[in-house]
Amino acid sequence: MALRAKVLGTGSYLPPKVVTNDDLAQIMNTSDEWIQQRSGIKERRFVDDGMMTSDLALEASRAALASAGLEAGDLDMIVVASFTPDHYFPGVSSFLQRKLGLDATPAMDLRCQCTGFVYALQTARAFVESGIYQRVLVCGSELHSRGLEFSDRGRDTAVLFGDGAGALILGPSEEGDGILNCRVYAQGEHAERLWMDAPGLAYQGLTNAEMIAEGRQVPAMDGRFVFKHAVARMPEVLLATLAECDLGLDDVDHFLFHQANLRINEMVAKKLQADPAKVHNNIHKTGNTSAATLPILLDQVVSEGKLKRGELVTMTGFGSGFTWGSCVFRY
Ligand code: COA
């Protein structure tokens, strides 16, 4: 039997502070009705002062290690998917590695926005399947709340995002379970349709007062264009990923989609004619937590006892880049 990368344990962490749509309507011109109608989001979590992306990652990683019955010292590699790092460099993974009490374990960041976790799985599984590393921590962690602008100018994105982290541990298996297939794609042609222009090294000194006044540090999105591409790409990549391992939609026990917008996921599920009982959503409670979304959702489905060993799971994402991808695994 081929060597495959299997999920040994999962963990997640959401900061305790709940921010409702009504809370946001107190600080800017929006409403619970607008947000719920367009996105399905009712509330999200925001960090308190002092907490950083690597702290969220640490909590989720500790939980994943405990669920796998492992200690940090058992890890051979750390991969963190995030585009909201504590600092410009080094990446979140260096701080996470230090906070886990490790001193030489290789640690890398991967920046593929909302598809980051699928890219991280594709990367980590290659290390496990090749036999290079045995135990790989794969974490998605995002802290959006400090980077959003709670004003009319930023409201189209400010209401959509939340903070959180999710993680899993991959290890080798020859039992026929584990990751069966994973596909990731990118289309840089549409990079500016969902992006944050500055700060960046396209500009002398990263940014300046004029650029800040213009709001070039506020996430910018062509919402309808993103929506249209997400609902086309997600079913397409999911079906192709399944077909490549001779599986069909009926074989899937659990569909996990990136949680950017409930309307996107409803449309994707409808296109696939997926059994609603097999489609899991948590966006109403979390908002979009980008690369943290899929591992948070996975851990919740596991913790709630909905996902059993041996069942077939798909994880499918779409995001800025554009990037998209899908992973199918037997849990
Ligand atoms: N509260 C109230 N009004 C808002 C608002 C907010 N938070 N944000 C924007 N608006 C206003 C706009 O100013 C605009 O007003 P105008 O018509 O007077 O110019 C209007 O609402 C836009 O509404 P509409 O065109 O109906 O928005 P939409 O149906 O395109 O929905 C999104 C907007 C963002 C919810 C939707 O396009 C979307 O979800 N896109 C995909 C987003 C996504 O997935 N992003 C992450 C990908 S990983």
Side-chain angles (χ1 to χ4, degrees), residues 114-134:
C114 294
T115 320
F117 199 76
V118 186
Y119 269 82
L121 282 179
Q122 177 74 315
T123 305
R125 85 183 258 240
F127 285 117
V128 174
E129 286 174 10
S130 62
I132 294 175
Y133 297 122
Q134 301 279 305

Side-chain angles (χ1 to χ4, degrees), residues 6-14 53-70 75 77-82 92 96 100 116-118 120-121 124 136-142 164-171 256 282 289-303 307 309 315 329 331:
K6 174 186 173 160
V7 177
L8 303 179
T10 65
S12 63
Y13 179 76
L14 293 171
T53 311
S54 59
D55 298 313
L56 297 169
L58 177 65
E59 298 296 334
S61 300
R62 279 186 176 147
L65 283 165
S67 120
L70 296 171
L75 295 172
M77 166 123 214
I78 297 169
V79 182
V80 178
S82 180
V92 180
L96 172 62
L100 283 168
F117 199 76
V118 186
L121 282 179
V136 183
L137 166 64
V138 191
C139 179
S141 186
E142 305 282 10
L168 55 77
I169 315 288
L170 284 186
L256 309 188
N282 63 3
T289 58
S290 300
T293 296
L294 286 169
I296 292 173
L297 188 56
L298 175 69
D299 184 52
Q300 290 179 344
V301 173
V302 170
S303 309
L307 171 55
R309 286 286 174 193
M315 280 182 157
F329 63 94
Y331 177 66

Side-chain angles (χ1 to χ4, degrees), residues 256-296:
L256 309 188
F257 296 112
H258 175 55
Q259 307 282 305
N261 183 325
L262 190 62
R263 308 296 161 241
I264 291 179
N265 291 358
E266 285 170 348
M267 210 172 272
V268 170
K270 197 169 154 206
K271 274 192 175 185
L272 295 169
Q273 295 183 301
D275 175 355
K278 295 180 174 180
V279 179
H280 303 281
N281 288 304
N282 63 3
I283 190 167
H284 56 292
K285 300 276 249 184
T286 59
N288 181 353
T289 58
S290 300
T293 296
L294 286 169
I296 292 173

Side-chain angles (χ1 to χ4, degrees), residues 28-31 34-35 37-39 113-115 151-152 154-161 194 221-228 230 258-264 288 290 318-320:
M28 67 182 167
N29 189 13
T30 189
S31 69
W34 194 96
I35 300 168
Q37 235 175 41
R38 303 304 199 290
S39 70
Q113 302 68 248
C114 294
T115 320
S151 70
D152 280 6
R155 68 180 177 170
D156 62 331
T157 50
V159 300
L160 298 177
F161 292 94
L194 176 52
M221 173 174 74
D222 182 342
R224 292 194 168 200
F225 192 83
V226 173
F227 195 107
K228 205 176 80 186
H258 175 55
Q259 307 282 305
N261 183 325
L262 190 62
R263 308 296 161 241
I264 291 179
N288 181 353
S290 300
F318 180 91
S320 160

